[in-house]
Amino acid sequence: MLRSAVLAMALLVPAFAASQASAQGSPPLVAAASDLKFALSEIASRFEKDTGRRVALNFGSSGNFARQIQQGAPFELFMSADEEFVFRLADAGFTRGRGDLYAMGRIVLYVPKGSPIGLDPGLAGVRAGWERVRRFAIANPEHAPYGRAAREALQSLGMWDLVRPKLVLGENIAQTAQFVATGNAEAGIVALSLALAPELAGDGQYVELPESLHRPLRQRMVLTARAGDTAATFYRYLQQPAARAVLKKYGFGLPGA
């Protein structure tokens, strides 16, 4: 129980963080898709060492963050797992331009360590062991891009109707990974970046799913209209080789690579 609570604390950010206004002189707030939890935390730590500046990271579902920005949440940088959310904000005048593509996401089938469920890209092992599955976890496809990709993959494989009665929906992809890592779901579809993170790698095993099963996860970032100098500096830092190397380490595809 204690271990589950610690993992939950590591993966989930309090919902009230987005509602707190930035006090003068405080670090700018960054709204980041939760597949970036470990990669972006590492990059932000390096940024502070290199520049002496700090940013405050908030992780959650891209759809929820986009809505919060429209409602006046004081985020200065938005890193979405789906570029469409950025485009909508840009078209409505909430951002400085249409931003930049920073990564391409990948999804995986993720099961707890020692699971009897076989791992294969076509999910044949899930079919064969379906009677052992009580819960199958994906992020909520209504507002989480990785949930949408998971649903599309299951539909492409003709498994959506089979899986749907046993679905448990995470509020974001980090919570979804937590469901599997803590044994609250026997299997799930999560972000490769989370399955690779040292904090989760020891709790489960995974197999990558073919990109052809779903629409591309084109991840785009943008400065909001309220962005200040530190947020702009961090935005540029994210496009430098050191930051890109961290994203690559966590399994993200890189634009221009």
Side-chain angles (χ1 to χ4, degrees), residues 2-257:
L2 177 60
R3 186 178 181 285
S4 298
V6 171
L7 183 57
M9 292 279 292
L11 288 174
L12 300 177
V13 174
F16 65 79
S19 66
Q20 303 302 304
S22 295
Q24 186 174 7
S26 62
L29 296 179
V30 177
S34 58
D35 65 312
L36 293 165
K37 166 64 186 176
F38 300 105
L40 192 61
S41 295
E42 184 173 327
I43 293 170
S45 178
R46 293 189 182 196
F47 174 72
E48 183 176 358
K49 290 178 182 178
D50 290 345
T51 68
R53 303 189 188 194
R54 294 178 55 245
V55 294
L57 304 179
N58 296 260
F59 299 98
S61 73
S62 299
N64 283 343
F65 278 141
R67 184 178 68 253
Q68 290 167 11
I69 291 169
Q70 287 180 313
Q71 293 171 347
F75 296 116
E76 298 186 32
L77 172 60
F78 178 36
M79 300 184 71
S80 176
D82 182 347
E83 65 180 1
E84 286 301 319
F85 290 119
V86 170
F87 293 152
R88 292 172 197 169
L89 289 174
D91 291 344
F94 289 96
T95 66
R96 295 185 186 176
R98 294 170 72 82
D100 289 282
L101 190 70
Y102 67 87
M104 299 291 292
R106 294 294 307 275
I107 58 174
V108 302
L109 172 66
Y110 183 58
V111 300
K113 207 76 167 181
S115 170
I117 304 298
L119 291 173
D120 65 278
L123 303 191
V126 174
R127 284 184 185 273
W130 190 240
E131 70 281 355
R132 299 187 180 96
V133 176
R134 293 175 298 115
R135 299 183 185 89
F136 190 94
I138 68 171
N140 191 327
E142 297 307 313
H143 54 74
Y146 277 87
R148 182 209 73 208
R151 180 175 62 188
E152 290 173 356
L154 291 166
Q155 289 171 334
S156 296
L157 293 168
M159 294 183 62
W160 180 245
D161 290 337
L162 172 70
V163 170
R164 188 162 49 178
K166 296 184 180 182
L167 279 180
V168 56
L169 300 180
E171 181 66 15
N172 54 61
I173 198 61
Q175 187 182 60
T176 306
Q178 178 207 352
F179 288 155
V180 180
T182 57
N184 289 307
E186 285 70 34
I189 295 177
V190 307
L192 173 60
S193 60
L194 298 179
L196 286 174
E199 292 85 347
L200 290 177
D203 295 314
Q205 46 198 352
Y206 71 90
V207 63
E208 292 186 43
L209 301 185
E211 294 177 275
S212 59
L213 295 178
H214 60 89
R215 284 178 287 168
L217 284 158
R218 293 175 55 87
Q219 306 201 188
R220 184 170 289 265
M221 62 182 179
V222 70
L223 291 168
T224 69
R226 66 172 70 232
D229 181 63
T230 296
T233 301
F234 186 56
Y235 183 88
R236 294 189 295 270
Y237 188 88
L238 288 163
Q239 299 174 69
Q240 299 306 308
R244 284 166 58 89
V246 174
L247 291 172
K248 183 177 180 180
K249 181 177 75 172
Y250 282 89
F252 290 104
L254 301 179

